[in-house]
Coordinates of all heavy atoms in Angstrom, one line a residue:
F10 N 64.6 48.0 -43.6 CA 64.1 46.7 -43.1 C 63.9 45.7 -44.2 O 64.2 44.5 -44.1 CB 62.8 46.9 -42.3 CG 62.3 45.6 -41.8 CD1 62.8 45.0 -40.7 CD2 61.2 45.0 -42.4 CE1 62.3 43.8 -40.2 CE2 60.7 43.8 -42.0 CZ 61.2 43.2 -40.8
L16 N 66.4 37.3 -41.2 CA 66.0 36.9 -39.9 C 65.0 37.8 -39.2 O 64.0 37.3 -38.6 CB 67.3 36.7 -39.1 CG 67.1 36.1 -37.6 CD1 66.3 34.7 -37.7 CD2 68.4 36.0 -36.9
P17 N 65.3 39.1 -39.2 CA 64.3 40.0 -38.5 C 63.0 39.9 -39.2 O 61.9 40.0 -38.5 CB 64.9 41.4 -38.6 CG 66.4 41.1 -38.8 CD 66.5 39.8 -39.6
K18 N 63.0 39.7 -40.5 CA 61.7 39.6 -41.2 C 60.9 38.4 -40.8 O 59.7 38.4 -40.5 CB 61.9 39.5 -42.7 CG 62.6 40.8 -43.3 CD 62.8 40.6 -44.8 CE 63.6 41.8 -45.3 NZ 63.9 41.6 -46.8
I19 N 61.7 37.3 -40.6 CA 61.0 36.0 -40.2 C 60.5 36.2 -38.8 O 59.4 35.7 -38.5 CB 62.1 34.9 -40.3 CG1 62.4 34.6 -41.7 CG2 61.5 33.6 -39.7 CD1 63.5 33.6 -41.9
V20 N 61.3 36.7 -37.9 CA 60.8 36.9 -36.5 C 59.6 37.8 -36.5 O 58.7 37.5 -35.7 CB 62.0 37.5 -35.7 CG1 61.5 37.9 -34.3 CG2 63.2 36.5 -35.6
L21 N 59.6 38.9 -37.2 CA 58.5 39.7 -37.2 C 57.2 39.0 -37.8 O 56.1 39.2 -37.3 CB 58.8 41.0 -38.0 CG 57.7 42.0 -38.1 CD1 57.4 42.6 -36.7 CD2 58.1 43.2 -39.0
G22 N 57.5 38.2 -38.8 CA 56.4 37.5 -39.4 C 55.8 36.5 -38.4 O 54.5 36.3 -38.3
V23 N 56.6 35.8 -37.7 CA 56.2 34.8 -36.7 C 55.4 35.6 -35.5 O 54.3 35.1 -35.1 CB 57.4 34.0 -36.1 CG1 56.9 33.2 -34.9 CG2 58.0 33.1 -37.2
V24 N 56.0 36.7 -35.1 CA 55.3 37.4 -34.1 C 53.9 37.9 -34.6 O 52.9 37.9 -33.8 CB 56.2 38.6 -33.6 CG1 55.4 39.6 -32.7 CG2 57.4 38.1 -32.9
G25 N 53.9 38.4 -35.8 CA 52.6 38.8 -36.3 C 51.6 37.7 -36.4 O 50.4 37.9 -36.1
L26 N 52.1 36.5 -36.9 CA 51.2 35.4 -37.0 C 50.7 34.9 -35.7 O 49.5 34.6 -35.5 CB 51.9 34.2 -37.7 CG 51.1 32.9 -37.9 CD1 50.0 33.2 -38.8 CD2 52.0 31.8 -38.5
V27 N 51.6 34.9 -34.7 CA 51.1 34.5 -33.3 C 50.1 35.6 -32.8 O 49.1 35.2 -32.2 CB 52.3 34.5 -32.3 CG1 51.9 34.3 -30.9 CG2 53.2 33.3 -32.7
A28 N 50.3 36.8 -33.0 CA 49.4 37.9 -32.6 C 48.0 37.7 -33.3 O 46.9 37.8 -32.7 CB 50.0 39.3 -32.8
L29 N 48.1 37.4 -34.6 CA 46.9 37.2 -35.4 C 46.1 36.0 -34.9 O 44.8 36.1 -34.7 CB 47.2 37.0 -36.9 CG 46.0 36.8 -37.8 CD1 45.1 38.0 -37.7 CD2 46.5 36.5 -39.2
V30 N 46.8 34.9 -34.5 CA 46.2 33.7 -34.0 C 45.5 34.0 -32.6 O 44.4 33.6 -32.3 CB 47.1 32.5 -33.9 CG1 46.5 31.3 -33.1 CG2 47.5 32.1 -35.3
G31 N 46.3 34.7 -31.8 CA 45.8 35.1 -30.5 C 44.6 35.9 -30.5 O 43.6 35.7 -29.8
L32 N 44.6 36.9 -31.4 CA 43.4 37.8 -31.5 C 42.2 37.0 -32.1 O 41.1 37.2 -31.7 CB 43.8 39.0 -32.5 CG 44.7 40.0 -31.9 CD1 45.1 41.0 -32.9 CD2 44.1 40.7 -30.6
S33 N 42.5 36.1 -33.0 CA 41.4 35.3 -33.6 C 40.8 34.4 -32.6 O 39.6 34.3 -32.5 CB 41.9 34.5 -34.8 OG 42.4 35.3 -35.8

Side-chain angles (χ1 to χ4, degrees):
F10 178 79
L16 182 60
K18 299 177 185 177
I19 294 174
V20 172
L21 182 61
V23 170
V24 171
L26 180 62
V27 171
L29 180 62
V30 171
L32 291 174
S33 299

